[in-house]
Amino acid sequence: MTALPDLAAIEAMDAADGLRAMRERFILPEGLVYLDGNSLGVASKAAFTELQAAAAEEWGQDLIRSWNTAGWFDMPLTLGDRVGRLVGAAAGQTAVCDTTSINIYKALHAAMALRPDRTIIVAEAGSFPTDIYMAEGVVSTRPGASLRLEGVDAPEIEDLIDGDVAVVLVNHVNYKSGELRDMAALTQKAHEHGALVIWDLCHTAGALPVDLDGAKADFAVGCTYKYLNGGPGAPAFVYAAARHHGAISQPLSGWWGHARPFAFEKHYAAGEGIRRFLCGTQPILSLRALKGALDIWDEVDMAALREKSLGLTDLFIALVEEKCAAYGLEFESSREREKRGSQVSFRHPHAYEIMQALIARGVIGDFRAPSTMRFGFTPLYLRYADVWRAVEILEEILRTGAWQDARFAVRSAVT
Ligand SMILES: Cc1ncc(COP(=O)(O)O)c(C=O)c1O
């Protein structure tokens, strides 16, 4: 085993980091080590500038005129193209709108409508729960449809795909373990059986490079408030491959998806391409914050981002395993770099209390029931020295038993 770097060596890694100037673009509270950008990304100066302009000038002064003069009406598609670029989607295939849950609903219906002679949705028991909940909702509206789950009906998702399957709904990076799937291989497997695939990219967008077009993905969804730093409740995105556009229908046929919304026609006529995934009026202030956040992403080299992400997670894993080996942490992520997203998880019977103790000491990660501590690594604003500091504090909390303080056992609504 190679020797671990000491703090001086770690500071030298920060000094040599090609992304280090990016940190200046964000608003980071003094003294905090923020390892929760996989849940809510931090604010940026650019997002605040956009919000201020949208509120004070466009809403405050220009009012209704801003729908035309400030590009409000087109924002779901203009921002969609910019998010699309970050996930390997050529222009015209991505829209920013609604929530990931709602976009899953639309994409599942669209996929099932493209495979009218098939009845099965394949998903993962270990996926983020909303994916399963939405699939259950879709099944409830389509007589004869049913759900097959990896982890319930077979151990591996690949074994569930056959000629009855209409669509596979799958998380690219698992929300709990951070495990990364091979997008091209699974998409190909589904296509060999005539099935379509919807990729949930919530923990991928802004975390690592991905190539939706190259992998021949059919649909994708994802959120913009995690690694993309769009802000709390920022709208999600939906991607549909151009080759499906002519035939796609989705049931939330609101006026924003209409071919001529301001003709106020009596009946629905689906708009061209990805526009038909829109439903109703979108949250403009949130979209404007996202616009600011995306300005930063225009300058990011995704290969460099991935390399630093892996450097941060490698270092965290090595330091935790060396310094905290005695305290019963169970590694829940992948040691293989090609199977690791940009987060690392450890299980512990008292994960909740330990995480609260960490937060009280200024190291913010989160807890996922029943026993997972998640640590997200965001290369644009994290330093290697932050990783060092987080592990020093974790070790101290475990060694001293500081987490046993009764206040750390009090459960909040959001964990
Ligand atoms: C993988 C995954 N899918 C979906 C969601 C939920 O998205 P939304 O609340 O935008 O519907 C999350 C939220 O954390 C997630 O991690």
Side-chain angles (χ1 to χ4, degrees):
M1 204 184 119
T2 50
L4 279 176
D6 59 13
L7 185 55
I10 285 171
E11 283 170 350
M13 287 159 76
D14 280 324
D17 172 16
L19 290 171
R20 75 182 182 287
M22 285 286 173
R23 186 175 163 88
E24 295 305 315
R25 315 285 283 272
F26 294 93
I27 296 157
L28 290 156
E30 201 50 45
L32 207 67
V33 177
Y34 193 68
L35 303 181
D36 217 3
N38 54 331
S39 202
L40 175 64
V42 304
S44 60
K45 294 169 187 167
F48 278 21
T49 303
E50 288 291 326
L51 271 176
Q52 176 68 19
E57 293 155 34
E58 296 164 16
W59 180 23
Q61 299 299 316
D62 298 339
L63 287 161
I64 192 89
R65 291 168 288 191
S66 294
W67 283 106
N68 292 316
T69 57
W72 285 2
F73 187 67
D74 293 325
M75 245 191 302
L77 303 187
T78 53
L79 297 190
D81 282 345
R82 293 176 70 184
V83 172
R85 194 186 66 77
L86 298 173
V87 291
Q93 302 176 101
T94 312
V96 170
C97 58
D98 304 322
T99 64
T100 303
S101 305
I102 292 172
N103 288 334
I104 289 171
Y105 187 81
K106 291 183 281 189
L108 276 172
H109 270 292
M112 302 246 355
L114 288 170
R115 293 289 178 272
D117 50 341
R118 298 176 177 218
T119 54
I120 310 282
I121 298 173
V122 168
E124 314 147 276
S127 79
F128 189 79
T130 208
D131 297 53
I132 304 172
Y133 303 160
M134 297 312 292
E136 287 173 344
V138 169
V139 163
S140 76
T141 65
R142 300 185 81 95
S146 63
L147 197 53
R148 276 183 198 164
L149 289 180
E150 180 193 53
V152 173
D153 299 303
E156 301 297 335
I157 202 162
E158 288 80 2
D159 299 330
L160 294 172
I161 305 171
D162 60 25
D164 296 327
V165 173
V167 55
V168 180
L169 169 64
V170 65
N171 289 209
H172 187 225
V173 177
N174 183 275
Y175 81 103
K176 208 185 255 189
S177 66
E179 187 137 351
L180 170 64
R181 293 207 189 249
D182 182 337
M183 178 179 284
L186 183 58
T187 302
Q188 189 185 341
K189 165 91 185 172
H191 288 174
E192 281 164 9
H193 290 275
L196 301 168
V197 186
I198 303 169
W199 286 96
D200 183 332
L201 302 183
C202 279
H203 292 270
T204 304
L208 57 138
V210 60
D211 187 4
L212 284 173
D213 288 346
K216 299 198 165 36
D218 300 290
F219 299 93
V221 296
C223 56
T224 65
Y225 50 74
K226 299 180 191 289
Y227 293 92
L228 293 177
N229 310 308
F237 65 91
V238 57
Y239 159 95
R243 66 182 177 280
H244 295 310
H245 284 187
I248 285 177
S249 62
Q250 61 88 9
L252 302 184
S253 45
W255 72 305
W256 273 48
H258 196 282
R260 296 163 294 279
F262 281 86
F264 297 105
E265 294 170 8
K266 288 235 171 335
H267 296 288
Y268 183 75
E272 283 290 308
I274 196 68
R275 175 173 289 283
R276 66 181 58 175
F277 272 87
L278 301 183
C279 182
T281 308
Q282 292 301 309
I284 296 301
L285 295 181
S286 285
L287 284 166
R288 286 302 300 268
L290 174 61
K291 180 169 180 280
L294 290 174
D295 287 345
I296 297 173
W297 283 100
D298 285 349
E299 297 169 39
V300 176
D301 170 2
M302 293 304 282
L305 180 98
R306 176 63 172 159
E307 205 39 48
K308 182 172 172 191
S309 157
L310 289 169
L312 291 166
T313 52
D314 277 346
L315 180 65
F316 185 72
I317 295 166
L319 289 174
V320 171
E321 295 203 323
E322 189 195 69
K323 293 172 189 273
C324 306
Y327 308 114
L329 294 176
E330 187 191 337
F331 183 60
E332 199 183 345
S333 301
S334 179
R335 279 174 218 288
E336 290 172 63
R337 286 179 137 210
E338 58 279 12
K339 289 193 180 159
R340 195 188 311 146
S342 204
Q343 78 174 56
V344 174
S345 304
F346 285 93
R347 285 197 203 95
H348 190 281
H350 295 285
Y352 183 82
E353 293 90 328
I354 296 166
M355 184 52 73
Q356 299 318 301
L358 275 169
I359 293 169
R361 293 284 312 272
V363 177
I364 301 193
D366 62 23
F367 165 81
R368 287 294 174 263
S371 57
T372 297
M373 283 186 280
R374 296 195 309 180
F375 301 92
F377 294 87
T378 45
L380 297 190
Y381 50 84
L382 267 186
R383 300 165 296 202
Y384 290 98
D386 294 322
V387 173
W388 169 275
R389 182 142 170 265
V391 179
E392 290 283 289
I393 294 174
L394 175 62
E395 188 276 336
E396 190 191 312
I397 286 169
L398 291 167
R399 177 170 39 79
T400 60
W403 57 268
Q404 291 170 28
D405 188 314
R407 74 194 153 114
F408 297 135
V410 178
R411 298 264 170 151
S412 307
V414 175
T415 64

